[in-house]
Amino acid sequence: MARAQRKEEILKSELPPTLPLMALRSTIVYPLGTIAVQMGAPENLSIIRSHDEAGLIVGLVVASGDHDETIDPSAFVGRVGVAARVHERINLPGDTVQITLQGLRRIIIEGVEQREPYPIARIRPAPETPLDPIQGEELMARLVNSAETLAELVDRIPDEVPAILKMNMSDPGRFADLAATNMNFRISDKDEVIQRLDIGERIRFVLTRLEREVQRARVMEDIKRQTEQKIEQHQREFYLRQQLRAIQAELGETEPSEKEAVDLLKKIEEANLPEKVMQEARRETERMRMLSPAMSEYQVIRTYLDWIIALPWNKKSGTEQIELQKVQEALDVRHYGLGEAKERILEYLAVRKLKGGGTHGPILCFVGPPGTGKTSLGEAISISIGREFYRISVGGVRDEAEIRGHRRTYVGAMPGLLLQALRRVGVKDPVLMIDEIDKMTHGGMSGDPTAAMLEVLDPSQNNTFVDHYLNLPFDLSSALFICTANNLFDIPAPLRDRMEVIRIAGYTIEEKVEIAWRYLLPKLFEETGISDLDLQFTDEMLSLISSGYSREAGLRGFSRNIEAIMRKRAHRKAKDEEGAWIVDQKMVEDILGVPRYSRDEAEKEPEIGAPTGLAWTATGGELMTVESLKMPGTGRLIVTGQLGDVMRESVDAAYSYVRSRAGAIGIDDRMFRDFDLHIHLPAGAIPKDGPSAGITMTLAIASTLSERPVRRDVAMTGEVTLLGKVLEIGGVKEKVLAAYRAGLREVIMPKMNEKDLREIPAEVRKNMVFTFVATMDEVLRLAMLPAVVSSPADMPPVVMPESEQERRATDAERSVPIETGD
């Protein structure tokens, strides 16, 4: 009762209209509360020293900012503060005074009457909005529950706080102030409690902050509990390990980590490692011995030592000498044809045999279209010389670390593909097939793997190859490296320079038929579960499948088409259909559909502006028809078909040549002024480039403008200069085989390519006619037919001169058009 009476006296006590303004930065006192504060600010010390009387009343406000910042009293105008009475003063060292403040009631700062030497503010009592009793009980009950939870979770909150709050629930305003005082709120939150004159809003604000503190405390409690559990687990493990060591010491046994180190040292001695490698392995083992098995570094070193021990530093496949006869037999058994490739392989192995398997020598690189047997050739070599075989596919590799390995500082680091392969085969001299080397990515953010291959494939450097993971030199010179590629020019020049290139151009129709009888049919019969008693082929049908459905350079499409027919027979056999199927043309077309390629390109009639050219691609040679037509216009030249810059320049050169030779060819000058010329290369979705279609495009332009047809039974290839000279081109073998597969039996090519005939199979050479030309005039004479005229007066036929002297004389005279004849 006395306490309630004292509270009423404090709240009803009269306050003067002005009060000294005391700004606090770190704390505040609420109405009816009492705190001790140490004063050091000059303005606050001036207030205390200017008023020695007892019972001094001051206005308290919360100042934001650092202690060194100057306080502007006008910033507090309109804000809510607390009127407090100064009860006790104690002088302290360092020009500091400790005072005891008792809060009286909330006040509103209306203005500043004085600024120096200390501020004096004009104030008035702050009216408070009462709380709805029903709503207030619910809010205060939630606040008490949160206070109890926080007192359980946080040690700095006294356990008596919830009880104090329960005792003051009859006064909601005082209740909220007590909660803010005892819950260790930040000074900004305490000031916010003072500013709220609506008691309901004040309690809600305190409740929100209190619930946020409870959530934070629970998170901290969970983290603390998890941390303590981990610490206890580690302490328990440490204690058990110490006990285990003590027991092992009593039994005369060594601890597991020590035993592991001893075993590793024994394996290192038995591995017969090179001296530098052995020294590094011993040093790493001693490092591991000093570490606890629970440490991550321990496992990193252990994995590193396992790699060192597992690699074949000195182990070889055997002392078996290379037997060339055995190699020849192995290649002949597994591959038909490819005579030049086999001969080059035998020459290469003969050199290695005479050198006693010496470390220096070129690296083989098989280049050819897909499905021509490049990978299986490498397998045949490894079997014939008694070596282990391992294929490393590097297509799409874009990271240098894939070749050289990752450094041990990275998590999950491993050696590169080469050392991984050597560990798997277990010998240092296997046959390593590096497949699809032309499809490695050249450069990027992760380094250039093709540059890393320079050391690997250099016979003078790879005896000290250093992988980033091992950081030790490893001798790769004993391994026989064989690379494969579809396009030689996709390989960087420095890497290409280190390799001995063996070209595998592809197979003719006759070779595919023979391969089918020897290899494909027995293999596919076994795979499909039928026999030659169920399905019978003939040479004619195999030839039809090859020429009509599988005109690629390799064998994969040919094999798939044969397998499709066998699967159809297997399906019927599974339904208990007996008897043998004799494969004929109707059966082939029923199963495989209409032939995708015409049987014979040479059967097409001569046509104006549509000569047949030859192109080289990564998948073998291809026929390339150049189409040309003229239309009324202004002399424009239109080129389409997704051509590259080199091919577009070839078109310009061809057009200029034909224009310069218009009189000799029989072209009226009006054709260049009054007509537009459009040149198109079909298959517009496929990019095309290169100069070797020069004579084909020149012939197309000349044929269109002179309205003279060109022969379609002749294929041609060659680069043409502005002066009409025909220059050497590449890919002769692939282009000739493409013409042969298409049924063409005559090819025109540059005279400088006559030397390349030796690369073409003898069977193809025997069945084809090759015409070698040095100038474009010879091409025009050979491939252009006479114009079809309605009467002799329209265009009198004149035979093109045979000799160069007569051609020059005709050029000088330029009197009559020249007509070509066979």
Side-chain angles (χ1 to χ4, degrees):
M1 188 69 180
R3 179 180 300 175
Q5 183 178 0
R6 184 168 175 270
K7 171 187 173 184
E8 291 295 330
E9 291 176 357
I10 293 174
L11 293 177
K12 291 182 179 180
S13 60
E14 292 293 332
L15 296 177
T18 59
L19 290 177
L21 195 60
M22 186 175 290
L24 304 179
R25 293 184 185 273
S26 58
T27 187
I28 193 68
V29 62
Y30 292 99
L32 304 180
T34 303
I35 60 169
V37 183
Q38 292 184 2
M39 295 294 179
E43 301 87 352
N44 295 341
L45 290 176
S46 179
I47 294 173
I48 295 171
R49 289 169 180 167
S50 299
H51 299 82
D52 295 332
E53 68 275 10
L56 170 65
I57 298 177
V58 297
L60 301 179
V61 290
V62 176
S64 60
D66 297 332
H67 289 274
D68 297 335
E69 293 182 11
T70 304
I71 297 174
D72 181 11
S74 60
F76 303 118
V77 175
R79 292 184 62 80
V80 180
V82 176
R85 179 176 282 113
V86 179
H87 276 296
E88 197 175 83
R89 311 179 191 196
I90 301 174
N91 294 321
L92 299 176
D95 198 19
T96 303
V97 177
Q98 177 175 304
I99 61 175
T100 301
L101 295 172
Q102 180 187 22
L104 300 178
R105 60 188 300 178
R106 282 176 169 80
I107 58 175
I108 296 177
I109 311 299
E110 292 190 326
V112 179
E113 299 288 336
Q114 174 184 312
R115 291 179 177 272
E116 298 294 340
Y118 54 84
I120 296 178
R122 187 171 63 255
I123 60 99
R124 64 179 175 88
E128 295 184 348
T129 304
L131 175 68
D132 178 44
I134 298 176
Q135 191 179 27
E137 288 181 4
E138 181 184 353
L139 291 173
M140 287 188 288
R142 287 176 57 190
L143 199 150
V144 170
N145 290 335
S146 297
E148 290 175 344
T149 303
L150 190 61
E152 293 175 358
L153 295 174
V154 180
D155 295 337
R156 67 175 182 270
I157 305 297
D159 296 336
E160 298 83 6
V161 171
I164 295 173
L165 294 178
K166 289 179 181 179
M167 294 171 62
N168 289 272
M169 291 179 67
S170 59
D171 185 353
R174 175 62 176 160
F175 176 86
D177 292 343
L178 282 172
T181 301
N182 291 282
M183 290 303 168
N184 295 327
F185 284 3
R186 292 177 297 183
I187 186 62
S188 59
D189 291 339
K190 290 183 177 181
D191 184 41
E192 189 66 28
V193 173
I194 290 175
Q195 301 303 315
R196 295 181 184 266
L197 299 178
D198 186 324
I199 296 177
E201 291 295 326
R202 189 186 309 168
I203 294 178
R204 289 189 187 92
F205 176 79
V206 174
L207 179 60
T208 302
R209 291 296 184 269
L210 198 57
E211 289 177 343
R212 186 178 66 182
E213 290 296 323
V214 170
Q215 293 176 358
R216 184 183 301 170
R218 281 177 175 164
V219 172
M220 296 301 296
E221 182 68 19
D222 291 341
I223 295 173
K224 179 181 178 183
R225 184 172 60 254
Q226 293 173 8
T227 305
E228 288 177 350
Q229 289 175 354
K230 289 182 180 179
I231 293 174
E232 290 175 359
Q233 180 67 20
H234 289 161
Q235 289 176 343
R236 180 173 175 272
E237 291 177 357
F238 177 77
Y239 177 72
L240 291 176
R241 285 196 192 95
Q242 294 299 323
Q243 284 188 326
L244 181 61
R245 288 174 181 171
I247 294 171
Q248 289 173 341
E250 289 294 330
L251 295 176
E253 299 177 355
T254 58
E255 58 181 295
S257 60
E258 180 66 23
K259 183 176 182 299
E260 193 171 24
V262 173
D263 291 343
L264 283 174
L265 286 173
K266 184 178 179 181
K267 290 179 181 179
I268 290 170
E269 296 296 333
E270 294 173 351
N272 191 25
L273 304 175
E275 185 61 31
K276 289 184 178 180
V277 178
M278 183 172 291
Q279 291 176 4
E280 181 67 17
R282 288 172 179 167
R283 189 178 70 83
E284 291 294 324
T285 305
E286 293 300 327
R287 280 188 60 210
M288 188 188 75
R289 178 180 282 177
M290 303 300 295
L291 300 174
S292 168
M295 299 179 65
S296 59
E297 182 69 14
Y298 182 94
Q299 298 302 326
V300 171
I301 297 176
R302 175 58 200 265
T303 305
Y304 176 75
L305 292 172
D306 286 343
W307 270 101
I308 288 181
I309 295 170
L311 284 174
W313 297 92
N314 295 299
K315 186 179 179 181
K316 294 188 175 182
S317 300
T319 58
E320 184 178 352
Q321 294 292 323
I322 297 175
E323 299 181 10
L324 297 181
Q325 184 62 34
K326 185 178 178 181
V327 175
Q328 178 76 58
E329 293 172 357
L331 294 176
D332 290 339
V333 167
R334 294 172 63 95
H335 297 83
Y336 177 78
L338 306 179
E340 183 184 359
K342 292 178 181 178
E343 184 66 25
R344 295 281 297 278
I345 292 170
L346 289 171
E347 291 170 358
Y348 173 78
L349 294 177
V351 172
R352 289 185 68 96
K353 177 180 179 179
L354 294 176
K355 293 175 61 179
T359 58
H360 297 287
I363 305 297
L364 291 181
C365 180
F366 298 148
V367 178
T372 51
K374 300 184 294 296
T375 303
S376 57
L377 270 176
E379 294 179 9
I381 292 173
S382 68
I383 293 173
S384 63
I385 63 177
R387 301 274 191 92
E388 295 289 338
F389 177 81
Y390 193 85
R391 186 180 69 88
I392 304 173
S393 180
V394 295
V397 170
R398 64 182 64 188
D399 191 350
E400 179 195 3
E402 293 288 334
I403 307 300
R404 288 189 172 275
H406 297 83
R407 300 191 184 277
R408 281 193 289 158
T409 52
Y410 295 102
V411 176
M414 288 185 66
L417 292 172
L418 294 166
L419 293 192
Q420 292 180 38
L422 291 175
R423 179 176 180 175
R424 290 188 176 99
V425 298
V427 291
K428 65 178 295 186
D429 59 345
V431 175
L432 293 180
M433 170 74 74
I434 301 178
D435 213 4
E436 311 292 354
I437 194 170
D438 58 325
K439 297 175 180 61
M440 295 179 73
T441 304
H442 305 160
M445 295 180 62
S446 302
D448 190 350
T450 59
M453 293 297 293
L454 292 176
E455 181 184 3
V456 175
L457 298 181
D458 192 334
S460 63
Q461 298 180 24
N462 60 12
N463 59 337
T464 56
F465 173 73
V466 177
D467 186 276
H468 287 160
Y469 180 80
L470 288 185
N471 201 27
L472 294 168
F474 192 94
D475 186 4
L476 297 177
S477 60
S478 299
L480 176 57
F481 289 98
I482 300 177
C483 304
T484 69
N486 296 133
N487 188 355
L488 183 64
F489 299 101
D490 284 341
I491 305 174
L495 187 57
R496 190 166 63 239
D497 184 60
R498 286 163 165 76
M499 296 187 290
E500 180 79 13
V501 177
I502 297 178
R503 296 184 180 273
I504 302 174
Y507 300 100
T508 63
I509 295 175
E510 291 78 6
E511 287 176 333
K512 287 184 179 181
V513 171
E514 187 64 30
I515 291 171
W517 285 117
R518 293 192 184 190
Y519 309 107
L520 293 182
L521 291 179
K523 175 186 174 185
L524 294 176
F525 276 135
E526 181 179 354
E527 290 179 354
T528 53
I530 60 176
S531 67
D532 54 357
L533 300 178
D534 301 308
L535 189 66
Q536 297 178 6
F537 289 88
T538 62
D539 287 346
E540 292 76 11
M541 291 305 101
L542 291 173
S543 177
L544 171 63
I545 295 171
S546 175
S547 61
Y549 299 89
S550 312
R551 201 175 279 180
E552 78 279 0
L555 295 168
R556 291 198 179 106
F558 183 51
S559 176
R560 279 194 297 270
N561 288 323
I562 295 176
E563 188 178 5
I565 298 174
M566 290 186 176
R567 284 198 304 269
K568 182 68 71 173
R569 179 64 186 98
H571 183 204
R572 297 292 182 84
K573 185 177 180 179
K575 293 183 176 180
D576 299 327
E577 180 180 321
E578 300 297 334
W581 283 13
I582 307 298
V583 179
D584 56 14
Q585 183 172 351
K586 182 178 183 303
M587 181 184 295
V588 171
E589 293 183 358
D590 288 343
I591 297 174
L592 301 181
V594 178
R596 289 189 288 272
Y597 306 98
S598 60
R599 289 295 306 274
D600 197 350
E601 292 282 354
E603 294 176 359
K604 294 185 177 179
E605 293 294 326
E607 190 173 349
I608 294 176
T612 302
L614 295 171
W616 180 93
T617 69
T619 58
E622 297 286 346
L623 293 187
M624 180 179 65
T625 301
V626 178
E627 298 178 347
S628 176
L629 57 83
K630 64 180 180 179
M631 65 205 89
T634 58
R636 288 189 309 151
L637 176 63
I638 305 170
V639 182
T640 57
Q642 199 173 164
L643 309 187
D645 293 338
V646 176
M647 188 168 279
R648 285 182 176 274
E649 291 175 358
S650 296
V651 175
D652 294 336
Y655 185 76
S656 298
Y657 169 77
V658 172
R659 190 167 184 176
S660 69
R661 301 280 295 155
I665 299 172
I667 302 173
D668 194 329
D669 287 342
R670 293 184 304 106
M671 294 293 181
F672 299 100
R673 296 192 307 269
D674 302 335
F675 290 89
D676 291 341
L677 184 65
H678 188 163
I679 299 174
H680 177 70
L681 275 70
I686 302 174
K688 310 168 189 68
D689 205 358
S692 62
I695 65 172
T696 313
M697 291 186 291
T698 305
L699 183 61
I701 296 171
S703 170
T704 302
L705 296 179
S706 65
E707 298 182 346
R708 295 165 60 181
V710 295
R711 294 171 57 189
R712 298 302 305 278
D713 60 342
V714 176
M716 61 195 69
T717 180
E719 178 182 357
V720 65
T721 69
L722 196 60
L723 299 178
K725 296 180 180 179
V726 180
L727 303 182
E728 183 179 10
I729 46 86
V732 171
K733 184 177 181 181
E734 290 85 352
K735 294 176 180 178
V736 170
L737 290 178
Y740 186 78
R741 285 193 294 267
L744 298 175
R745 293 298 178 264
E746 185 172 351
V747 175
I748 298 174
M749 65 177 66
K751 188 170 184 59
M752 288 183 285
N753 285 110
E754 189 172 359
K755 63 182 185 302
D756 296 320
L757 280 186
R758 60 184 297 273
E759 299 179 358
I760 300 171
E763 181 183 353
V764 176
R765 290 201 305 267
K766 184 175 72 172
N767 294 321
M768 295 191 72
V769 176
F770 299 94
T771 305
F772 300 97
V773 295
T775 64
M776 191 63 214
D777 288 343
E778 298 177 59
V779 179
L780 297 175
R781 183 174 64 251
L782 291 167
M784 285 180 62
L785 300 176
V788 180
V789 294
S790 57
S791 65
D794 294 334
M795 183 179 290
V798 178
V799 178
M800 180 177 288
E802 293 291 332
S803 67
E804 182 66 11
Q805 292 179 353
E806 291 175 340
R807 182 188 65 78
R808 292 182 178 178
T810 304
D811 291 346
E813 294 172 0
R814 302 179 66 88
S815 57
V816 294
I818 297 177
E819 183 182 63
T820 60
D822 293 337

